[in-house]
Amino acid sequence: MVFIPNTFGLTIQADRLISWPAQAGQFNAKQNYLVVGSGSNLLFTDTHFNGQIIQVDNQTFNIRETDTHYEVTLGAGLNWHQTVKRLVEAGVNGLENLALIPGTVGAAPIQNIGAYGVEFSQVCDSVTGFDIKSGNIKQLSATECKFAYRESIFKHALKDTFIITEVILKLPKNWQANIQYGPLKSLNNPTAGEVFERVCQIRQEKLPDPVKLGNAGSFFKNPVISQAEFERLKVQDTQLPHYPQDDGSIKLAAGYLIDKAGLKGLRYRQAEVHQQQALVLVNLGEAIADDMIQLAAHVRQKVYDKYQVRLTPEVRFIGANGEVDAESLLEQHASTGLSRNS
Ligand code: FAD
Ligand code: EPU
């Protein structure tokens, strides 16, 4: 038996751990398996995962220069934040807005991590991994990865069948600071190091440190709705933060909707809607998965009751035998209500 790392701080076991590629020979594709980085985007709905946990241990860190770009090859097992820091310190800029995002390099392409106006897709050149179906190593270009907001091919056509081992990033030498995101606008002609520091500071003010208060960052994605739906909501709430997208749709702030539904600080057993950021659900210390699920279901239902907008979990729910449909699970729990056991 082994323990599975997860930032919710839940005690979860699995049958065995396979370090990739060193122990790849022990991998049995006919049995359940799950690739895990740091478990910072996972909610285990059971106390045991019946199968193998694969952890990629590639620590490659290599910078190549062309006249115009830095081409950076990174092993999937590297810690994301430490890698961003190391690159900024080496004068290789472009990732500073993505500072302090927990997790590994290998998980970054999965949901196309993003923060403060930058997404992984903007710096990605290619993603390399082991294709379990064919048994071959494959390299996908950034276009082939089909990146979108919190989306990629690895959540769809290549879901659970591709072990990412390495990514290559392409960062232009003629770097310019990206300070379009609200709280960064006050910076005046900053260096990458200054953007890095500011991003770390903002995040530390708002987001709970999983070591102290278990969480997986934003529990839900920010909902993307049609212009027509937005027109309806704008009448109801003139303050609604909204971000027009290239295709004409509108992205809303789920944290705002949860906050306005009066749910900030709401507690269910050992789970709580975070006081500083309502989009984050935290484990107060002794939570079990059911506490988190019941609270999330309640939050999703209350937001729907107030705004008729359905929130989709960003966090991936993993049951005893693999991923479970998070939306359906929350839907089932919403009908039972919160109060009966709280
Ligand atoms: P895990 O949680 O272990 O896995 C996530 C998914 O990726 C799983 O489906 C897993 O199977 C798959 N996976 C992991 N590694 C591999 C691999 N090598 N090959 C194939 N599949 C793999 N996310 C953001 O986008 N922006 C943020 O600003 C942000 N802030 C956060 C703040 C906090 C406090 C926390 C706790 C989380 C935050 N997150 C954020 C979410 C999380 O950090 C990211 O999703 C991160 O990329 C997850 O990395 P991980 O290594 O922990 O992956
Ligand atoms: N807001 C509230 N109340 C709250 C929380 C937010 O009113 O309790 C409002 C804010 O005032 C702001 C808006 O909602 O007007 C957006 O809030 P914020 O800037 O904090 O960002 P977010 O949309 O809640 C997203 C990402 C984060 C990322 C930040 C910064 C998603 C689901 N979340 O959060 O990513 O770090 O932007 O770019 O897209 C994650 O994915 O885990 C994550 C933390």
Side-chain angles (χ1 to χ4, degrees):
M1 291 298 171
V2 291
F3 289 100
I4 312 180
N6 69 98
T7 59
F8 266 118
L10 303 177
T11 305
I12 317 293
Q13 290 188 313
D15 296 346
R16 59 201 167 93
L17 185 72
I18 294 174
S19 182
W20 196 275
Q23 298 173 322
Q26 296 175 21
F27 173 61
N28 182 349
K30 294 202 177 88
Q31 291 173 0
N32 286 334
Y33 60 85
L34 176 72
V35 188
V36 175
S38 317
S40 63
N41 211 29
L42 301 177
L43 176 64
F44 289 89
T45 59
D46 231 295
T47 53
H48 191 90
F49 176 74
N50 301 323
Q52 317 152 84
I53 297 296
I54 300 168
Q55 274 200 306
V56 180
D57 189 32
N58 181 354
Q59 302 288 318
T60 302
F61 181 94
N62 180 35
I63 304 172
R64 265 186 359 112
E65 271 189 63
T66 67
D67 287 347
T68 54
H69 285 80
Y70 293 108
E71 200 179 271
V72 185
T73 305
L74 300 171
L78 291 167
N79 173 277
W80 176 262
H81 173 68
Q82 292 307 328
T83 304
V84 172
K85 188 164 182 270
R86 204 167 153 188
L87 286 170
V88 171
E89 283 169 358
V92 179
N93 302 333
L95 298 187
E96 53 286 342
N97 295 53
L98 301 177
L100 222 56
I101 298 181
T104 53
V105 164
I110 304 288
Q111 72 158 5
N112 179 25
I113 57 168
Y116 301 96
V118 174
E119 286 187 346
F120 178 80
S121 56
Q122 291 164 246
V123 294
C124 178
D125 184 60
S126 66
V127 174
T128 302
F130 179 74
D131 180 51
I132 295 175
K133 276 191 186 156
S134 67
N136 295 327
I137 305 284
K138 282 193 181 161
Q139 187 174 39
L140 276 73
S141 68
T143 309
E144 287 172 323
C145 291
K146 296 190 184 342
F147 291 122
Y149 167 65
R150 298 297 188 267
E151 282 293 354
S152 73
I153 193 168
F154 308 108
K155 290 173 90 172
H156 298 281
L158 294 181
K159 183 168 178 281
D160 297 335
T161 60
F162 199 78
I163 303 174
I164 295 174
T165 52
E166 211 163 76
V167 305
I168 298 180
L169 309 183
K170 205 170 172 192
L171 301 162
K173 284 183 168 174
N174 68 342
W175 170 85
Q176 287 192 326
N178 184 335
I179 51 170
Q180 56 180 284
Y181 195 87
L184 298 179
K185 281 192 177 132
S186 58
L187 292 173
N188 183 18
N189 205 13
T191 63
E194 285 163 351
V195 175
F196 176 92
E197 292 300 334
R198 185 83 181 99
V199 167
C200 290
Q201 187 198 351
I202 298 166
R203 294 182 67 99
Q204 278 160 346
E205 280 165 14
K206 281 205 250 186
L207 293 166
D209 177 355
V211 174
K212 297 180 187 142
L213 213 47
N215 75 90
S218 301
F219 197 93
F220 298 97
K221 290 187 211 175
N222 282 333
V224 179
I225 62 171
S226 67
Q227 180 69 38
E229 271 185 280
F230 176 63
E231 294 301 329
R232 170 181 64 76
L233 288 173
K234 205 169 66 175
V235 176
Q236 182 182 338
D237 183 343
T238 53
Q239 305 296 308
L240 206 64
H242 59 284
Y243 313 95
Q245 305 296 292
D246 290 344
D247 63 359
S249 60
I250 309 280
K251 196 197 273 180
L252 302 178
Y256 175 91
L257 304 181
I258 299 169
D259 195 350
K260 288 291 163 187
L263 300 167
K264 209 176 224 182
L266 179 74
R267 223 177 245 205
Y268 175 70
R269 295 191 194 154
Q270 283 285 299
E272 190 177 80
V273 179
H274 190 51
Q275 296 278 2
Q276 274 74 46
Q277 224 304 2
L279 191 45
V280 180
L281 305 187
V282 300
N283 171 2
L284 293 171
E286 303 294 325
I288 56 170
D290 191 58
D291 301 355
M292 308 309 308
I293 294 166
Q294 300 274 6
L295 184 66
H298 181 76
V299 164
R300 186 166 173 273
Q301 186 61 45
K302 288 291 166 194
V303 167
Y304 183 76
D305 291 346
K306 186 169 169 71
Y307 291 105
Q308 288 75 57
V309 172
R310 288 245 185 258
L311 297 181
T312 308
E314 174 186 306
V315 171
R316 302 182 76 172
F317 288 25
I318 312 291
N321 295 307
E323 186 158 10
V324 294
D325 183 338
E327 267 191 292
S328 310
L329 190 71
L330 295 186
E331 199 64 49
Q332 284 164 27
H333 283 275
S335 54
T336 60
L338 243 199
S339 55
R340 64 194 170 104
N341 289 319
S342 57

